[in-house]
Amino acid sequence: MAEPESAEYQGRRRAPVPALRGTVLVAGGIGVAVLVLLSLVVIVLTAPQKPRVPAMGQPAAPPTPAAPDGSSPAGRSPTAARPSPSLSPSASPSRSPSRSPSPAPSAPTSQPPALPPPLQPVSYEAEASGNVLFHGARVAPMGGASGAAGVYALGAPNGGMLVFGGIAGGGGGRYTVTVYFQNPDRADRAGRMTVNSGAPVTLRYPSTGPASVASTSVGVVLTAGTGNTIVLDNLDSRAADVDRIVVAPS
C-alpha cells in the first residue's frame, strides 16, 4: 500500500495547471482567428463582381454572347466568328455625279412698260340701255338693223340727242367710228358727231329707203381707257335714224 503524499508534495504537482490553461486559450484564439479569415475569404470569393467602368472617352465593350453549343466564344478567332463579306460590283457605293456650279443670275434689265394691245372693233347698239337719250329721241323697231331696233327723232325740230357712253379707247390715239344709219327720205340728211369735249364733226347721211341700213365713217381721237363719249345730234335739221356705231383702231 502506497504511502499517501504529503500536502506539500500535492501542491507541487498542481502548479503546472495554470500554464496549461493559458496555452489552451491561446490555441483557441488562433483557431477563431483562422475561422474568421476563412469566412472573409469565402465571402470575398462568392460576392458578385461589379461591372468594370470604362475610362472616360472610350465606349464600353459590349458583352460577349455565349455560343449556341455552350462553348465560350473567347477562344474563337475573329475570322472564324465573323466571315468577311464578299464585295459585288453592285454593292460598291456609287459616286454621285459632280455638280457644276450654276451661273449667277444676271441682273434683270429694265424693260419699257408694255403697251395695251390694239383695240379690236367694238360694236355699240344705239338702243342699248346704257345710252342716254335727250329731247324726244326714242327707241323704236328698225327694218334691217342689227338688233331689229334703233333710235329715232334725232336733231330738229326738238333737238333730239343720242349719247354713247363708256367707249373704249385702248391706250388712246386715232380710231375710226362707223355709224350705221337709216334715212327713209329721198334727199340726204345731215348730222354731227361730238367726241368727248372736242369740236363737232359734220356727217352726211345718204338715202337708204325705209327698210335698209347704210354706213358712214369718220376719224376721231380717243383717250386711253373706257371713259370716252360720242354724241350724235343735229341743230339745224333732222338727222338720220341710228342703228349702231362700230369703233375700230385706225
Side-chain angles (χ1 to χ4, degrees), residues 111-163:
Q111 298 290 339
L115 297 177
L119 181 67
Q120 300 298 321
V122 181
S123 178
Y124 300 88
E125 294 289 336
E127 69 275 12
S129 59
N131 299 333
V132 180
L133 304 177
F134 291 101
H135 309 299
R138 67 186 187 277
V139 175
M142 178 180 293
S146 60
V151 173
Y152 292 81
L154 296 178
N158 298 324
M161 181 184 301
L162 169 61
V163 180

Side-chain angles (χ1 to χ4, degrees), residues 100-106:
S100 58
S102 57
S106 58

Side-chain angles (χ1 to χ4, degrees), residues 180-206:
Y180 289 82
F181 65 92
Q182 186 176 95
N183 177 12
D185 299 342
R186 294 182 179 180
D188 294 349
R189 291 185 181 182
R192 66 177 187 173
M193 175 188 294
T194 304
V195 178
N196 297 329
S197 58
V201 177
T202 302
L203 301 178
R204 176 177 170 270
Y205 299 115

Side-chain angles (χ1 to χ4, degrees), residues 5 15 19 43 46-47 69 81 96 105 111 116 168 191-192 215 239:
E5 294 180 357
I43 292 173
T46 58
D69 56 356
S96 58
Q111 298 290 339
R192 66 177 187 173
S215 64

Side-chain angles (χ1 to χ4, degrees), residues 69-94:
D69 56 356
S71 61
S72 173
R76 298 182 180 181
S77 61
T79 57
R82 184 175 58 188
S84 59
S86 59
L87 297 179
S88 60
S90 60
S92 60
S94 59

